Amino acid sequence: FFFFTCFSYRPERGSNMSCLGYVASNITRRLLSRTITSSTFLETNLIKKLSAENAGKACLITRSFSTEIVPGVGKGKTSTGLTGIPVDLDAVQKIIDKNQALLDKMDASDMPADARYRINVEAVARYRIAVCRDNYDDPETIEELCDCGQVEELAIQGDDEMIVLDMYLESRMWERVVKTEVEYHYEEPEEEEKEADPEETK
């Protein structure tokens, strides 16, 4: 479209509009006449490079489309690349719900608050819930901060942990943990004093 417009450009008599300005105004009319589609994506990128004076209106239009779905990212994700794990666009909400369910089940149980398993699970669950709420529309950031797989995997991990928690509560495994005092004495290693060889000092 850019090259076609440039070669077909015929300035009106008495007009001082440059070819660049003509391209900008032409694209502006096309943007105002229809919704931006994938066929005009390259044109919107071109507008950003044009002068602000000639393409100011068009630049304002492109900014309103900053939330477009990008293929392969966020809502535009089409594959996890993992066999048996399809894309789940609701994975972030599921992570929140599943981890909250873990917290609720432990609160309703008689597992002691100082049980090491409960302390660890609560810490992980609260962290993941906070990360998901703070970055709800940014699954890539959630994956980076949790550092434990894709959001689809994080949701599955919530189900897996619930299975472990049920087993832990049913068997009352915290009662089987024996607290022991471990004595450990650390001693600084003694440095071997080497006698200086009189021949080496010469």
Side-chain angles (χ1 to χ4, degrees), residues 118-165:
R118 178 170 181 170
I119 293 174
N120 293 341
V121 174
E122 284 182 343
V124 174
R126 289 196 176 101
Y127 176 77
R128 292 186 176 183
I129 290 173
V131 168
C132 288
R133 287 176 176 171
D134 293 341
N135 305 277
Y136 194 85
D137 295 322
D138 191 353
E140 285 73 25
T141 299
I142 294 174
E143 294 170 357
E144 181 180 355
L145 293 175
C146 291
D147 194 21
C148 206
Q150 301 179 43
V151 288
E152 290 82 1
E153 294 177 279
L154 294 173
I156 294 174
Q157 290 166 17
D159 293 329
D160 294 340
E161 195 62 53
M162 182 62 74
I163 296 173
V164 177
L165 177 59

Side-chain angles (χ1 to χ4, degrees), residues 14-196:
S15 173
N16 60 355
M17 179 182 290
S18 64
C19 179
L20 187 63
Y22 178 77
V23 173
S25 61
N26 202 327
I27 294 176
T28 302
R29 287 195 297 272
R30 293 186 62 183
L31 290 174
L32 293 174
S33 63
R34 59 173 179 165
T35 303
I36 294 179
T37 60
S38 58
S39 63
T40 59
F41 179 74
L42 293 177
E43 296 174 13
T44 61
N45 287 337
L46 175 62
I47 294 174
K48 296 178 182 179
K49 299 179 182 179
L50 299 177
S51 61
E53 180 180 356
N54 291 326
K57 294 182 180 180
C59 288
L60 293 175
I61 295 174
T62 57
R63 279 195 288 268
S64 65
F65 289 86
S66 59
T67 57
E68 288 181 350
I69 295 177
V70 179
V73 178
K75 293 183 179 180
K77 186 177 181 180
T78 58
S79 174
T80 63
L82 303 172
T83 302
I85 302 181
V87 173
D88 188 353
L89 299 180
D90 297 323
V92 176
Q93 184 60 48
K94 289 181 179 179
I95 294 171
I96 297 174
D97 295 340
K98 294 177 188 297
N99 282 275
Q100 187 60 51
L102 292 170
L103 296 175
D104 294 341
K105 174 160 283 192
M106 286 187 289
D107 288 340
S109 70
D110 57 349
M111 186 192 309
D114 60 348
R116 177 51 55 184
Y117 174 76
R118 178 170 181 170
I119 293 174
N120 293 341
V121 174
E122 284 182 343
V124 174
R126 289 196 176 101
Y127 176 77
R128 292 186 176 183
I129 290 173
V131 168
C132 288
R133 287 176 176 171
D134 293 341
N135 305 277
Y136 194 85
D137 295 322
D138 191 353
E140 285 73 25
T141 299
I142 294 174
E143 294 170 357
E144 181 180 355
L145 293 175
C146 291
D147 194 21
C148 206
Q150 301 179 43
V151 288
E152 290 82 1
E153 294 177 279
L154 294 173
I156 294 174
Q157 290 166 17
D159 293 329
D160 294 340
E161 195 62 53
M162 182 62 74
I163 296 173
V164 177
L165 177 59
D166 289 338
M167 177 185 65
Y168 201 89
L169 293 174
E170 182 180 356
S171 303
R172 302 182 67 84
M173 296 183 68
W174 64 87
E175 296 178 351
R176 304 183 184 186
V177 177
V178 179
K179 295 182 179 180
T180 57
E181 296 293 335
V182 178
E183 294 184 3
Y184 179 73
H185 300 284
Y186 177 76
E187 295 181 359
E188 291 287 345
E190 295 181 1
E191 296 183 0
E192 297 180 1
E193 296 181 0
K194 297 182 180 180
E195 295 181 359

